Structures are given as structure tokens and as C-alpha cells.
Amino acid sequence: MAEARTLAEVYRRFGEAAAGTSPLHERVAIALSESAEALRAIGSAPARKRHPSLVLAALHDLALAGRAPALARAYATGDGDAAAGAAVDALVRLTDPVVDLVARRRLRADETGHGAVLYPAVAEVARRAGANAVGLVDVGCSAGLDLTVDRVGIAYGNGQSLGDPASPVRLTASVVGDRPVPTRALPEVVAKVGVDPDPLDVTDPDDVRWLRACVPPDRPERGAKLEAEVALAGADPPLLLRGDAVDVLPDAVARVPSDALPVVLTTWALSSFPLEGRLRFLHRLDDAAAGRPVAWVSVEGVGVAPSVPTLGDRRASGHSTIGLVVLDGSTLHAEAVGRCWSRGGVLAWLARS
């Protein structure tokens, strides 16, 4: 009984917090919190897989798959009352499929829009290394959407633009501070490799549906953005390597042709690693650079990326640091070239061109 009360409180608080961003998630989460049958169904999932955002994504996935038609209709019309009832019914009726989904899937939120930060950073690190071609290795890639960075169009709030103005994926970001974003173009990208413990394949309908399911059904702007990026990635799918980033990294770097600079990308990926794992990651990068130059572009919380200066900023300060690291033999050069907020929606470039 105490466990059920605790779970009900978790769902009620989640619903209250979602009110400002997703009224449908608010209504559904609160309805689940008030249903003893729904709470029993949720309680049959592994303890670490009972979070509301994951269960709601699983219900959304079943609706998108046509297995919960009443819920799909309620989501399509934005009917909160109908969605609340249909979600409880779907969860109770489809408990086993929901539990299966949450047991084998991870929530994939904020997958899109990092190119506004990554594009100038990759171009800058390639310039510093003297590279005319690069191969991108995205660690914690999920579906590899960041690997489309060379094919997006970016408009900055100060009037600058980068990338392909005809791209179907248009990204925007505000620029703060007194330094403009560098406008040099990316060199040719000759390889794209994603590394993830459980990568999603943009050519697999089930994986793509799960990505869509992780977006609240009443956030059409986010859904449209995701659709465009998935389509762009699907036109030139990356090579996906499954496994622990530290273990797989040498193989991933080796997939980049010898005449191109491997550029490893981490965007809010290292925070899930313990400190020892982050240090091992850096050591593996160093090992890979024994026979060729290797670069690393990091967009991580302050102090998360080893060797990247913190600029005197405090941890948990609300922004992230954009770091460039070039490793060449026994030489390591690391610099913090910018700060960003809102998952790359606001950028302050700090480095001199």
C-alpha cells in the first residue's frame, strides 16, 4: 500500500509539473495516479522503469502503432478527458506490452537541434587541426541525428547563418555576448559513426516510432522538427556501433579513413558516466591519437568533460561548456570556446577567430 501511494504521488506531481508544457500529459499522468488498476500495472514493471515519462511514451507508442485507437483519437483531437480515460484503459488492457516496452527502451528526449552549436565547433576544430576532411563519431548517438550537422541550415539571432540554406532541417539559436559565431564552412564529412549502448536505427519503423512516442502528443512543433531530422538522417544513415562508448571508441575511430580527421562528438553524453569512466574515455581518445591526430568536440555541463577548462564557472550553473580538444601523439590541446543554454538554443562564442 505504501508503495502504491508513493507511485501515485510521483505520477500526480509529474502531471502537475507537465501542465505548462503538455496539458495532455498532465491529464493522463493524474488519471493514472488516481487509478488503483493503473498503478498495479505500472508496479509490475521493473522498479527503475516506472517513471511517468517512460510509461507515457510507451502508451504513446502503442497509440501510434494502432494498438490503442481510443487513445490515438484523443491525442489527435487534444481531448484531455478522453485521453485520461483511454490511457487508463490502455494501460490496464495492454499491461504486458507496456511493461515490455519500458523494460527494453530508454526515454529519448531532446534528440534534435544540436547542430547550431556543433557546426561552428566542428569547423573550428578542423581548422585548428589543418583537416580538409573529417569523420564524425557521435558518442551516445541515440539515433545519430547529430550526424546530420553537415546538411542542416542554421539561422542565428544576430543575423548570421551557416550550413545549407536549402536544407529541409532549419535550426535556430540566439547568440549572446560580443563575439560572433565563426562562419567558416565544415570541411567534407567522409564518415559518420554512431556509438550507443542501444542505438536507434532511423531506417527501422519501430525505432522511429519510439522516437516519435517520446515527444508529447500535444507538442506538434517538436514532432515536426523530429520528423524532418529523422528524414534527413534516413537519407544517409550513419554506421551504428552498439556498446559501451569507452570499449567501442577505438573501433569507431578506426572506421574513419586515414586521410580524414576523426572528430568525436559528445553532447550531454558524459554526465551519465562516473568520473572514472570519463577519465577512461579520455585515455581511449589518447590511445587512438597515438597513430593519427584525433579531435573531440564536447558540449557538456561545467566540469563534466575531463581536460576542458571550466572558465571559472561553477558546476550546476545552468549552462554547458563547448570544448575543443585536439590530440596528436603526446600533445593534448584543450580549450573552452563557448557556453550554451537551453540544449543549444542559446550560444555565447568565446574564442577568437
Side-chain angles (χ1 to χ4, degrees), residues 34-196:
E34 295 172 346
S35 168
E37 286 183 301
L39 292 172
R40 280 196 294 273
I42 296 167
S44 65
R48 62 187 180 86
K49 293 287 193 169
R50 297 172 188 169
H51 192 274
S53 57
L54 190 57
V55 171
L56 290 177
L59 288 169
H60 193 189
D61 184 282
L62 294 174
L64 291 171
R67 300 183 66 182
L71 183 58
R73 287 192 298 271
Y75 279 166
T77 60
D79 187 334
D81 291 337
V88 171
D89 175 73
L91 179 56
V92 173
R93 181 171 53 87
L94 300 169
T95 298
D96 288 346
V98 170
V99 170
D100 175 67
L101 276 169
V102 300
R104 62 187 175 85
R105 293 291 197 182
R106 290 186 294 136
L107 189 70
R108 307 300 181 113
D110 297 315
E111 296 289 330
T112 66
H114 305 155
V117 170
L118 289 175
Y119 190 110
V122 174
E124 175 64 15
V125 83
R127 181 190 70 81
R128 295 183 181 198
N132 295 316
V134 298
L136 303 178
V137 177
D138 188 8
V139 171
C141 68
S142 184
L145 300 186
D146 283 344
L147 292 170
T148 65
V149 63
D150 60 321
R151 293 185 291 139
V152 301
I154 308 164
Y156 296 98
N158 62 355
Q160 292 182 273
S161 62
L162 285 172
D164 180 4
S167 174
V169 174
R170 300 290 298 165
L171 307 178
T172 60
S174 300
V175 176
V176 297
D178 57 1
R179 290 201 178 137
V181 177
T183 55
R184 63 182 55 86
L186 278 177
E188 181 184 7
V189 177
V190 298
K192 297 181 178 183
V193 183
V195 177
D196 194 274

Side-chain angles (χ1 to χ4, degrees), residues 16 27 65 75 87 122 130 152-153 156 171 182 269 286 319 321 335:
E16 292 171 350
R27 296 298 302 278
Y75 279 166
V122 174
V152 301
Y156 296 98
L171 307 178
D286 189 48
H319 67 268
T321 305
E335 183 180 350

Side-chain angles (χ1 to χ4, degrees), residues 191-250:
K192 297 181 178 183
V193 183
V195 177
D196 194 274
D198 183 24
L200 297 181
D201 183 351
V202 290
T203 66
D204 183 300
D206 289 344
D207 283 355
V208 171
R209 189 177 64 244
W210 178 251
L211 276 175
R212 293 170 179 153
C214 291
V215 176
D218 49 359
R219 296 295 302 276
E221 73 292 345
R222 281 185 57 190
K225 188 176 180 182
L226 176 64
E227 293 279 357
E229 293 210 21
V230 166
L232 188 64
D236 181 23
L239 171 67
L240 299 176
L241 300 181
R242 183 184 301 270
D244 176 82
V246 177
D247 295 333
V248 177
L249 190 59

